[in-house]
Amino acid sequence: MSISDAAIQEAEEAIMKLGTPPQPVDPYPLYESLRKINRVYESTTLGAFAITGYKEVSAAAKMPSMRNGTRGFTKRREDWEQHDALRLLLRAMVTLDPPEHTRIRDFAASLFSPALIKQMRASIERLADRHLDDLADKASGGTVVDLVKTVASPFPVSVISEILGVPDEQGMMFYDLANDWTRVWGGGGYSEEELARADVAVMELRGHFEEIFKERRKKPQDDLISTLLKATDDGQLSDEDLMALSTFLFISGFETTTNLISMGLYTLLENRDQLALWRNKPEITPGAVEELLRHGTPIAGTIRLTSETIQLGDKTIPDGRLIFLMTAGANRDPAQFTDPDRLDLTRSEGPHVSFGGGAHYCLGANLARMEAQVILPKMINRFSEIDVAGVTERRTATGLQGFEYLPLQVKE
């Protein structure tokens, strides 16, 4: 079947919109314009492949030969070594390739284990109640409250701070600095001003973490930073490994969850029948969270680089080519999910690909799931009335789906 020039132009425009800030409010028609040409679409504009098919994204994510595309994309800048933000990014586990990735990943996974997350349940419940109390206090008398500032950001930040050993009063300051840094994590699409801000943020983060390291060396505690310091002293980690892993674990502990809470609640408010269903049937909670992860994928995609010739769908992709795994698009693939744009908290059509797959499967997936399974049911059951009360502000960073500002009025 021949493809019209107009369809190809539409697809090229779509891929540029998806890769250029700000993130589109509704990116799903753009994914569909790519998919209707080919689920594995070769962009002449980018010289890269955009993958929007569920089976193809899932297969590519699990290929052991695939390399990290963000790493190669970041190094396209000739001056990358002159930027603190880019140097530390390229030490973060998310951008490493084997064997270095395998070494760091295996070590981190042994610490950030499902057993640890299960042990955190009581603390997560306690912290959720604390932040919902704060929401109730600030929203008394009909006052409009920002969900992001009051719950969606500070709740997961307080959880990961407690796990790592970051002082509670410093958590949100670290969060602000981390947000400035992660604007350059997409490998491109950021401004020089954002890069400069990211450099400053990384210098400040380094300074704060170094102070914590000094304190923990003097007085170790039952936290992950103390464990990381012991591993460094034992020669398992270098000093740069220590800094890169500490900062990465902090960010991985909140990024997905913050977006999931804000986008998830907003989606429920747009689908009141599903909100009522969840209130009436709390037993659907695990599946409901998975559906929110599918429907409003918090991190919309990732970049990979082929290290050998591969076959995806009907396309042969040569060695050394960039591939955009568009997980948000794959999660709305009609070949995998019936009526994919509809929110269905009881859906059972196979897993989403929001956490990736293979060696780079999201380390914080279990923590994000548990936090959402705790905070969202607590919120929708505690407050009998929840309404958006003003103009919302979406996140603008490429590939992140969530809110910067979500004004609410709530009533217990």
Side-chain angles (χ1 to χ4, degrees):
M1 181 180 71
S2 62
I3 310 245
S4 70
D5 291 342
I8 292 174
Q9 182 178 349
E10 180 183 347
E12 291 295 327
E13 290 173 356
I15 202 168
M16 293 307 296
K17 287 178 182 177
L18 289 165
T20 306
Q23 177 72 24
V25 171
D26 181 13
Y28 299 101
L30 301 176
Y31 296 125
E32 189 57 35
S33 68
L34 295 171
R35 190 160 43 228
K36 72 183 180 183
I37 294 180
N38 199 304
R39 299 158 66 83
V40 181
Y41 175 75
E42 184 175 8
S43 168
T44 55
T45 301
L46 294 182
F49 289 81
I51 319 298
T52 55
Y54 175 90
K55 290 182 179 179
E56 292 80 1
V57 165
S58 183
K62 296 172 184 175
M63 288 182 177
S65 64
M66 205 71 79
R67 296 294 177 257
N68 190 282
T70 302
R71 186 173 193 83
F73 219 64
T74 299
K75 283 192 169 184
R76 284 184 173 184
R77 287 190 66 107
E78 293 182 359
D79 65 344
W80 70 266
E81 290 182 290
Q82 299 173 28
H83 294 279
D84 292 290
L86 302 183
R87 287 203 309 275
L88 190 58
L89 169 61
L90 292 174
R91 289 298 310 158
M93 186 171 66
V94 71
T95 64
L96 296 177
D97 285 324
E100 192 74 348
H101 176 266
T102 306
R103 177 179 69 86
I104 298 296
R105 170 87 188 196
D106 287 350
F107 177 80
S110 71
L111 303 176
F112 219 63
S113 64
L116 169 68
I117 305 308
K118 189 175 182 179
Q119 292 170 11
M120 281 294 297
R121 178 77 188 214
S123 294
I124 290 171
E125 297 266 5
R126 168 178 52 82
L127 292 169
D129 287 336
R130 188 182 87 184
H131 289 291
L132 292 179
D133 287 345
D134 188 40
L135 176 63
D137 289 343
K138 290 178 177 176
S140 62
T143 303
V144 175
V145 179
D146 176 17
L147 178 75
V148 178
K149 186 176 181 180
T150 311
V151 176
S153 296
F155 165 59
V157 166
S158 64
V159 172
I160 192 60
S161 294
E162 188 165 302
I163 293 173
L164 276 173
V166 171
D168 188 54
E169 67 276 9
Q170 289 185 297
M172 287 308 293
M173 176 183 64
F174 283 26
Y175 167 85
D176 289 336
L177 294 172
N179 265 347
D180 283 343
W181 182 26
T182 55
R183 288 184 178 277
V184 303
W185 278 37
Y190 52 81
S191 67
E192 292 303 300
E193 180 183 350
E194 287 174 323
L195 177 57
R197 198 159 62 243
D199 283 336
V200 172
V202 163
M203 289 180 64
E204 291 189 30
L205 268 178
R206 277 183 173 276
H208 291 304
F209 270 99
E210 284 168 357
E211 286 300 314
I212 296 174
F213 297 159
K214 288 179 184 177
E215 292 175 9
R216 291 299 183 278
R217 286 190 190 281
K218 294 177 183 175
K219 190 177 180 181
Q221 296 184 14
D222 185 21
D223 56 39
L224 282 193
I225 284 180
S226 297
T227 303
L228 293 174
L229 283 167
K230 184 178 185 305
T232 304
D233 293 341
D234 291 346
Q236 293 177 267
L237 299 174
S238 68
D239 287 341
E240 195 61 16
D241 288 338
L242 171 67
M243 180 62 70
L245 190 52
S246 298
T247 52
F248 172 71
L249 288 176
F250 179 76
I251 290 171
S252 68
F254 74 79
E255 187 70 74
T256 296
T257 314
T258 293
N259 292 333
L260 174 57
I261 293 170
S262 63
M263 181 64 79
L265 184 67
Y266 183 83
T267 303
L268 289 170
L269 296 178
E270 287 193 315
N271 295 269
R272 296 279 180 167
D273 61 322
Q274 296 298 294
L275 175 61
L277 174 66
W278 199 351
R279 279 175 169 155
N280 293 328
K281 293 187 174 182
E283 65 271 17
I284 72 170
T285 291
V289 168
E290 297 308 303
E291 173 67 351
L292 290 174
L293 282 162
R294 180 201 71 83
H295 188 273
T297 314
I299 298 177
T302 188
I303 311 172
R304 293 288 181 264
L305 180 70
T306 57
S307 64
E308 62 182 17
T309 299
I310 63 170
Q311 188 73 29
L312 270 183
D314 62 359
K315 292 283 187 179
T316 300
I317 303 178
D319 176 18
R321 299 296 294 275
L322 283 172
I323 295 180
F324 294 89
L325 301 183
M326 297 185 162
T327 50
N331 280 335
R332 298 280 190 100
D333 182 357
Q336 177 68 25
F337 301 103
T338 304
D339 195 5
D341 294 330
R342 178 173 59 88
L343 182 73
D344 178 3
L345 299 185
T346 62
R347 188 185 294 273
S348 58
E349 295 176 294
H352 56 74
V353 289
S354 297
F355 292 126
H360 284 280
Y361 184 79
C362 178
L363 191 68
N366 289 328
L367 181 60
R369 282 189 169 105
M370 180 174 285
E371 289 174 325
Q373 289 172 14
V374 168
I375 194 76
L376 288 171
K378 281 181 177 288
M379 194 184 314
I380 64 175
N381 286 299
R382 177 167 178 170
F383 301 104
S384 59
E385 296 180 19
I386 309 174
D387 297 288
V388 176
V391 178
T392 64
E393 182 182 341
R394 299 274 184 146
R395 297 202 68 173
T396 58
T398 302
L400 298 182
Q401 298 198 118
F403 289 86
E404 296 283 357
Y405 176 65
L406 181 53
L408 296 180
Q409 283 182 315
V410 302
K411 182 179 179 181
E412 292 189 89

